[in-house]
Amino acid sequence: MQTRIAPLRHARTAARTLAACVIAAIVLPTLGACTSPRIAGRAESEHHVSECESAYRSATAGDERAQGTPLLERYLSLSLSAQAWQTVAASCPQRLSEGILRSAQAQWNAQNTAASLSMTYTASAADGSALRRQRLDGVTSLPLDDTTLRKLALAEDRAGSAMQLLAAKGVAGATLTLSDNHHAVGSQLMSMAGNSADPRQKEYDLSTLLADPATATDQATGLQASTVAIIEMDCALEELKALASATQTPATGDDSTRIQQMLTLIRLIAGHSYQAFANGYPSGDYAVFASTSKP
């Protein structure tokens, strides 16, 4: 009898194991069905694209379309890219310098492309809403702390004094209008800062300009360019450095107001950069972005 009981026990154990496996095979898919399946593309569609991301995509796409395309398409792409890069500068604080300099590059390239098409590039500095400005007429406030405003005013005033000297010596590209515009912006910025602790000086050390008024050596790249061009680019870079160290955000106004206010300043600095290119400063990345490392 004992020899028959052992096989019977083994048979029952095997039957229980088989039953458990069958139940598991039925239950597990049912449990899995309780979890909602992932809908393809749902997470992606629910991602909110910020204005910064949207502007950056538009700007880089414009740059890509301008490569190796027919002249007219290149011109249109560069024109759109110039605007998009300014929106990048205003919307993406970490890309402020890049956006301003890229916009100036795109405008300069659009100008040259338009000339090849016997067209006129219309981003005029005379229009307050254009991509370049020479003054801050009509602007009463900027979303910046007073210390930063004073640094910007000093950069403008120094450039104005240098340009005034070069204009007096009849250097090509240097005009009293450029000098007056720089001085006017310096005064406008100081007014916004409350006209206190004014860092502007009555006289600046311009001895290097007297030694060679026409040409100068760029400190960052070692390249030679017209002194007028380097004055304009140095002013732009000094202002970008001041903005990079700004510590105060606007106390009033929403994001839209802040962006519109910043665009006026962005267009001013882009105008300085463009003026530098127009006077012979190299517009390639090797020079423009090497210069952003100036102390």
Side-chain angles (χ1 to χ4, degrees):
M1 285 297 288
Q2 291 179 353
T3 57
R4 293 180 181 178
I5 293 175
L8 182 58
R9 287 175 179 171
H10 289 305
R12 289 174 179 172
T13 300
R16 291 193 189 101
T17 302
L18 178 61
C21 291
V22 171
I23 293 171
I26 295 172
V27 172
L28 287 177
T30 304
L31 292 175
C34 295
T35 303
S36 299
R38 181 184 183 279
I39 301 174
R42 179 175 180 179
E44 293 82 353
S45 65
E46 290 177 349
H47 173 67
H48 175 68
V49 179
S50 68
E51 186 168 2
C52 170
E53 291 174 301
S54 177
Y56 185 75
R57 291 178 186 178
S58 177
T60 53
D63 288 348
E64 291 173 0
R65 286 193 300 269
Q67 301 298 319
T69 56
L71 282 178
L72 181 57
E73 184 178 347
R74 186 183 311 171
Y75 169 72
L76 295 173
S77 296
L78 287 167
S79 299
L80 293 174
S81 179
Q83 177 66 67
W85 276 117
Q86 291 193 353
T87 306
V88 168
S91 305
C92 313
Q94 73 280 13
R95 292 188 180 276
L96 177 65
S97 295
E98 179 188 10
I100 291 174
L101 294 173
R102 291 289 185 202
S103 177
Q105 284 179 316
Q107 291 181 60
W108 179 242
N109 291 332
Q111 163 67 33
N112 294 332
T113 304
S116 299
L117 293 166
S118 298
M119 296 171 57
T120 301
Y121 182 54
T122 57
S124 171
D127 183 356
S129 63
L131 299 183
R132 296 192 305 277
R133 294 183 67 119
Q134 293 177 337
R135 298 164 65 109
L136 293 176
D137 295 348
V139 180
T140 57
S141 64
L142 289 170
L144 299 168
D145 58 281
D146 291 346
T147 298
T148 301
L149 291 171
R150 294 187 193 104
K151 289 178 180 178
L152 298 175
L154 177 59
E156 293 286 347
D157 195 66
R158 185 186 291 113
S161 295
M163 201 67 70
Q164 183 177 19
L165 174 63
L166 296 183
K169 288 188 167 294
V171 174
T175 67
L176 289 177
T177 298
L178 281 175
S179 172
D180 290 344
N181 286 337
H182 280 295
H183 282 306
V185 172
S187 296
Q188 291 163 338
L189 289 165
M190 274 309 306
S191 177
M192 294 181 212
N195 288 314
S196 60
D198 192 340
R200 293 175 297 171
Q201 303 172 30
K202 293 182 179 179
E203 294 183 3
Y204 297 91
D205 181 6
L206 303 175
S207 56
T208 55
L209 299 183
L210 293 172
D212 187 356
T215 60
T217 300
D218 183 61
Q219 295 292 323
T221 63
L223 297 172
Q224 277 200 331
S226 79
T227 306
V228 172
I230 289 181
I231 288 172
E232 290 292 334
M233 185 56 74
D234 279 349
C235 180
L237 295 176
E238 186 176 349
E239 292 177 333
L240 291 178
K241 184 178 179 180
L243 291 175
S245 61
T247 57
Q248 185 173 323
T249 56
T252 59
D254 55 19
D255 286 344
S256 176
T257 300
R258 184 194 67 81
I259 288 174
Q260 289 304 313
Q261 289 175 327
M262 281 302 297
L263 278 173
T264 62
L265 186 60
I266 285 165
R267 288 164 180 163
L268 177 77
I269 302 174
H272 295 333
S273 305
Y274 181 93
Q275 191 69 38
F277 299 151
N279 281 279
Y281 194 92
S283 62
D285 286 3
Y286 70 92
V288 174
F289 289 97
S291 298
T292 57
S293 62
K294 283 185 176 181

